[in-house]
Amino acid sequence: MEGLLTQFSLTPSKLVSALHEHLTPAEYSNQPHSNQDLIFKRPEDALKVLQSQPDLQSLTKCLQWLTSNITAFNDFDIRLPGAEAAKIINVLVNDIIPHYWHVWNGSERNSYSHQRRLLLRCLTSIAGIGALVTRLRSFEPETGEAQAIIKIRPEQAPTAQMTDDLVSFLEALLERDTVVDSIWTTNYIDSDIANRRAILWKELISLLAGGRLLSAVAEAQDRHRSTDSIDKQSSWLGSGQLYSAWLGRNIQVMIIHGKDNLTRKHKDVARLLSKALTLGYTDQVVRVVFSSVIAGENKNLDMLRVSLYNLASYEQKNVLYTAIRLVTEQDSSFTQKSGFVGGVAALIEALVADRAHLQEVLVDWLTGNYMNGFNMGIYSRRAVLAALSPHPDLVKKALQKLLHNFGDKLYIKHIPVLQQEGNTQTLLLVTGHVFKSDPDYVRSLVRASVYINAISNRLAASSTRSQFLGIAVGSTVSTLVDPPDKRMSFSIESTSKDEMRQYQQLIETYDCIGSLAELKATVPRTGAPLPERKTKKSQKVISAMSKTLSTTTSKIISIQELSDNSASEEDSLPIYDRADFDEDEEEDEDPTLVQRNKPTAPVYIRDLLVGLNDTDNYDRHRLALLAAPTLIRRKAHFGTEVSSHLEALATALVGLSDKYAMENFQQLRLQGMIAVLVASPLKMGQWFSTTCFHGEYSMSQRLSILTTLSLGAREIAGHATEDAALTSATPEPLFPTQKLPDKYHNIYARNEIAPVTALASQLERTLITPMAAAAADTLAGPAALRVRTFSSRMAVAAKRQKPLANVLAAVVADGFFFPLARLWSLQPRVRGPHNPFMHPALLSHFLKTLALILHAAGPSAPVLPALTAEFFALLLSLRTVALAASPVLEALLFGLLTLLELNAERQQALAEECAKELLETQAWVEGVFERLGGGSAEGERARGLAAGVLVRVRECVERWEAVVRGQVGGLM
């Protein structure tokens, strides 16, 4: 046999050796460019830098070059559409914003104000807003684009954080009231072709006023609101009222900044206003756009009138009706003031001017053809009539229409009484106006058949109210045209005399057109301009008021002016913000102690790894540790950046040591390890399991790995909210009476309960409490004598939790349980008698970890029978070890109780598959229960666990015996 085998050696040939000498290592393509080598001459240079994951300095320099081209009006302008601009905008929206905006808009946003301003300026364009809306739309799960992206690249699945970043960026981009005007100016000046300008402006109208932006933000927030456990404040971009008010302010700014010779701008503003009226919030748009006129100010009246006249006829009518309703919807204390009706009439006359079709609209409004005038008070009708008083022919036309409706039999029979009362009031008002200017016309009309038939039809009506209206008109008009001895007289009830006098006063009411100044003096101000500089507190108050106030104007809040004669002159003094530091103290600082190169939070995974490994730089190391959980979770499903560095991240986090005694170091490190595990459960579950047994780590590091596996498994199973407090780096502060003095608290506060121990204790109570309650019910006597309280069906339904999709069940066997259990079983043969995993602290922690993972998988896991058999065998093999160490005994009993509880629905199958194990468990636990003595907390807890295990085992054995007896009885 020895002759059949020929020994040979692997010796590299000369050719291979020569090739290796000429090979050079390839450079990593994603390494950032050196800041000294960055020279931008073409858009391709900026695009290359943006695509190479630039650091903060390189990105800042690139954004500065892009914005400098905007100022210098060079050949390339990122605000104008083009191939190069589209590529750069696409990279900014898809790569730069997801990586950097979360940091720039965070708690240290003041440190990145310059970068924020540069990025916002680059995307303040039609193409930039369109790219942002398109990106936000691509996150919708029902769209074909999102389905295709997720199917091809699952790591590109959108997250709630990505949506929040885009929405917050849009808020910052559109928060100014001049953004639309600046975009129009850029489009008008830099676009030399008229057709090109029209197409671009049409696209912006579709984005802003067509509802694309509003619907995209609202759908994105609604989509993530149900899945996000944190109640976040909704964006104003998703609120129809606040968004319409913002759009109205931008339209108002465009109108104010317009000039008489810019006919193109007036037409574009009219197109934008026309589309904004279709959003469904006409009141908010009209209230803001015409706020100055509604408030009684003459400024910008000509510009507003030009914009109104550029609308379509039906849109002009809609705006006019809305303006009348808004200005007359005031409290009675304001509408009854002298000059109010004249001021409203001046407003209407200022908007209508000499437009014949708008005058006809007022006649239709007054006669009630569109049910508008009758839905408002008498003051609005008086104002409209006063606005028409310079046109006698229109007033007479309105009188004829009102009189015809008043006497129509079908009108009397079918029109609601409230509308008939309004028609009657308007008829008397118009009659009085016409009589003042042309008495002969009224006298001839009263003697005409139309008037006589109207009164006759009213008196002959079956409705008492219709008869009373006919009596009111007949007697009131008769006082104008007939002598005292020939006036019409009717006997009415005493209760109706007061109302009759009110109708008679209407015909004597005559209003004239006043001035807008009178309206300003009577109508409460809709707001006052806000100061340019606002403190954070004032910003919060203003944002809260904007949600509750229905009126929104250009940079104004609703402020009611209160007159106080006793106010001192000090109220007019300006209020300055309180400084956060003393200027004298700042000047006395030592310049040598000021840190110039302050590290920034990492935005890429490669920077995070460098920061975690850089233990010599405290600030950088601390920033990386603070940013690790959030950054890993945010990028777990965004590209392959996390997936390609999972093992490196896990190695760095597991091997970290608290060199600087950082606050909450263990919690932050644990959060980072859990984030790595959740990013790829199957792969990293196996990695953590292997590392726990084969890596050269201390006992505390192995305990942290086991804690990561247990808490990570529960988070994957949907219990992240319940366990959030266990890993929180900022625990809830204790009440002063529940806290030790500082010198003792620093000593004993470190002895906190480990997360796995806390979860095990909580689960113990959850499992044992129902059994204790059942035992108490059994000892309480017959069921007929017990008093029970029944909850309502709605209360029970409110407490019932929605079922969660258990993702852990698919990976628990291969990713968590079997690797841990089988690697542990190999340790005695590998390590011999000096097995560190047999240490009571580590062994008890290991058993609780397996129990928690098994419980997180749930009773519906497909691999539950295999997990049960494996866990049963492992637990029974440790019976001898458990008797020698109380922590191991408690963990073993907890594992048995969890195992039996999960198999409560399949007790018969458990008895068939693990009959021997059940009997051995019952015998051993009975001995343990008898051996354990009470008195100590640990002993009582172990006895409780043993009692729970005995109850579950006996239930299973008794059920199996009943099944066997039934089968045997059936055979006999």
Side-chain angles (χ1 to χ4, degrees), residues 282-283 318-330 365 372 375-376 380:
T282 306
D283 289 2
N318 189 17
V319 171
L320 184 61
Y321 287 172
T322 305
I324 296 173
R325 185 178 71 255
L326 292 176
V327 76
T328 55
E329 283 181 350
Q330 304 293 337
W365 185 94
N372 288 283
N375 294 335
M376 304 181 192
S380 60

Side-chain angles (χ1 to χ4, degrees), residues 500-511:
M500 179 65 72
R501 280 193 291 270
Q502 294 177 0
Y503 278 100
Q504 291 174 354
Q505 291 174 358
L506 291 176
I507 205 168
E508 300 175 358
T509 303
Y510 186 83
D511 299 297

